[in-house]
Amino acid sequence: MRPLPVIKICGLREPSNIKEVLSLDPQYIGFVFYPSSSRFVGELDIEYIKGLKDVKKTAVFVNASLEEIVTVVNKYQFDAIQLHGHESVAFCKDVKESTGLEIIKAFGIDSEFDFNQLEPYLLVADYFLFDTKTSIYGGSGRVFNWDVLKRYPFDKRYFLSGGIDLDNFQDAYTFEDERLYAIDLNSRFESSPGIKNILLLKQALKK
């Protein structure tokens, strides 16, 4: 029997909402440092974020500079980094070497996606994240056809993201692939961008 997936709740911003989310015991929480995103964090409470324990605090970047990434992760003492843009293998390697943190490399998936292009990333990413391919780098609330993951040829474990909601959460959680490491919950569990609906999250996690 495969290990059950862990839970990542992404796109957080407000301390009171973060506190409620943490009461649900997710293994990862994510903070978006992409200014064009409706979930862009702006200025977080530094001491509050630094003080969060027993959860992997993940900083999400889209085509950011190495300097920006290093500055942010040091400032808030993040535990993991999600690279959600068109970051090259060499850039991922630089981020890994500069920070020493867990690297999650995201890819937008559609029916034509060529999984072979991931091979060079195997040595520089701790996990992959598969999201629905859009022009806005995630947070679209749209689901891709998970059947395409049958073509994924590598052993590297991955996060499943993209349009997961109350209706399809159980299907995602029980998806038959031993490489599935985590379920990423975001826009479909919100009251407004950056504010998670705790009731919806509780309903899903009860399942």
Side-chain angles (χ1 to χ4, degrees):
M1 183 177 177
R2 70 169 176 84
L4 294 175
V6 304
I7 299 296
K8 175 171 174 278
I9 300 175
C10 198
L12 301 175
R13 166 163 79 197
E14 300 294 336
S16 59
N17 191 232
I18 295 168
K19 183 178 180 180
E20 290 184 296
V21 165
L22 290 175
S23 73
L24 305 177
D25 296 323
Q27 285 73 36
Y28 288 77
I29 53 175
F31 301 85
V32 178
F33 289 87
Y34 177 46
S36 297
S37 170
S38 59
R39 295 164 189 86
F40 176 57
V41 294
E43 280 296 319
L44 291 168
D45 183 323
I46 297 173
E47 294 307 315
Y48 178 75
I49 300 301
K50 285 168 63 174
L52 297 178
K53 307 297 182 185
D54 303 318
V55 65
K56 283 197 173 181
K57 300 172 293 187
T58 306
V60 181
F61 299 96
V62 176
N63 303 323
S65 69
L66 179 61
E67 180 182 12
E68 177 186 349
I69 292 171
V70 171
T71 298
V72 166
V73 299
N74 289 338
K75 180 178 180 180
Y76 296 103
Q77 296 180 6
F78 280 107
D79 306 298
I81 296 168
Q82 181 176 317
L83 299 174
H84 213 101
H86 299 295
E87 296 87 2
S88 68
V89 174
F91 185 80
C92 293
K93 183 173 184 288
D94 287 345
V95 173
K96 181 73 171 175
E97 291 178 348
S98 298
T99 64
L101 298 184
E102 180 178 300
I103 303 297
I104 304 163
K105 180 65 187 87
F107 295 91
I109 307 296
D110 60 15
S111 60
E112 308 300 321
F113 188 78
D114 178 11
F115 286 99
N116 291 317
Q117 66 184 287
L118 306 187
E119 186 169 9
Y121 288 89
L122 292 173
L123 294 177
V124 297
D126 295 280
Y127 299 99
F128 293 140
L129 183 147
F130 298 141
D131 196 359
T132 307
K133 184 177 181 180
T134 69
S135 61
I136 60 173
Y137 300 103
S140 68
R142 292 164 47 192
V143 185
F144 68 91
N145 183 356
W146 301 336
D147 284 344
V148 302
L149 295 174
K150 295 174 182 177
R151 304 201 312 264
Y152 173 54
F154 305 113
D155 292 330
K156 179 76 68 181
R157 303 191 74 190
Y158 62 85
F159 289 64
L160 181 60
S161 186
I164 297 173
D165 59 18
L166 190 59
D167 292 330
N168 62 20
F169 173 80
Q170 191 161 4
D171 291 334
Y173 195 74
T174 58
F175 185 67
E176 285 297 328
D177 188 344
E178 62 185 12
R179 300 165 300 180
L180 174 59
Y181 171 67
I183 305 296
D184 191 296
L185 307 178
N186 193 347
S187 61
R188 290 288 188 171
F189 288 93
E190 287 185 328
S191 303
S192 60
I195 303 298
K196 295 299 174 282
N197 185 314
I198 303 303
L199 179 59
L200 286 181
L201 286 170
K202 283 182 177 178
Q203 288 179 297
L205 297 177
K206 276 183 182 178
K207 296 184 178 183

